[in-house]
Amino acid sequence: MALCGAASRILPLALSLAAVVAVSRARGPPSALWPRQGCSALGRCCSGRDPTCAARGPPRCFCDQACGALRDCCADYARACPAVSCAVAEWSGWSRCAKPCQVSYRVRRRHVLQEPRNGGAPCPHLEERAGCVEFWSQQGVECQQSLFPALITTGSYGKKREKRGVSKEQEIVGYCVQFRLGPIPGSCRQVGAPHARWMKYLTQGHMVCVRCEWPAQDARSQRCYGDGARAGGNQLLLWQAAGHPQCRGTWERLGQLPDCSCPEVHSLVFI
């Protein structure tokens, strides 16, 4: 009698375990797909979090970009919805300056060849700008040089520049321009760097000699910008010390000479 009672208790338990095994086999392992289930069957992959981008279950799974973080992707998501990064073309050439005859900017662009999908790397920036100055109008007419400050520095820089192995074919015969300085701002004397000491000798009313030589010369006109060649008589022109934007002022063009003969502290070069 005791054995029969024990057997009667074991039999229902065995039946229950068999039922659980049968159900688990029917559902399959977590990575298995039911027929017509998964992203391939769904036929689409979605960006962001899209509740409608769900494949048939059970269990219900998703084919949107957010499923990776939420851990509810369909088992075939990586195969059916591979990540595709953005692809862009090469940069175009630089455009002309946006506004001629003044400090402006130029632009270069590139376009998208492949938009990113399924969490791929986003597209980089598609436009770059760089500062520029064009001394020729869009009609090919040279701008008035009086609109631009002449960039100048000490004549010793010109001597060092000659020692950099410039070939005779590149070198163009230069010239010298004499100017009479106008008012000098105090900022020109408030510099302590050795390469800027020449600015302390700039004095209103003094004459300076500024040499124009390669590579400061324009390839077309063979002149240095800001030399005042086209300025009218007694017209005040602008100058600016290279490397010190606050040291700038006006001067009057006195004339052009083949060579400069000013004292060393008043001998400058165009940049």
Side-chain angles (χ1 to χ4, degrees), residues 60-83:
R60 195 182 190 204
C61 60
F62 291 84
C63 303
D64 57 9
Q65 185 179 341
C67 73
L70 299 177
R71 299 182 179 180
D72 56 4
C73 297
C74 293
D76 67 340
Y77 175 77
R79 173 173 52 82
C81 305

Side-chain angles (χ1 to χ4, degrees), residues 217-236:
Q217 288 172 316
D218 176 69
R220 287 191 285 185
S221 66
Q222 297 187 5
R223 304 198 67 86
C224 291
Y225 292 114
D227 70 353
R230 296 190 177 184
N234 300 323
Q235 181 179 354
L236 292 179

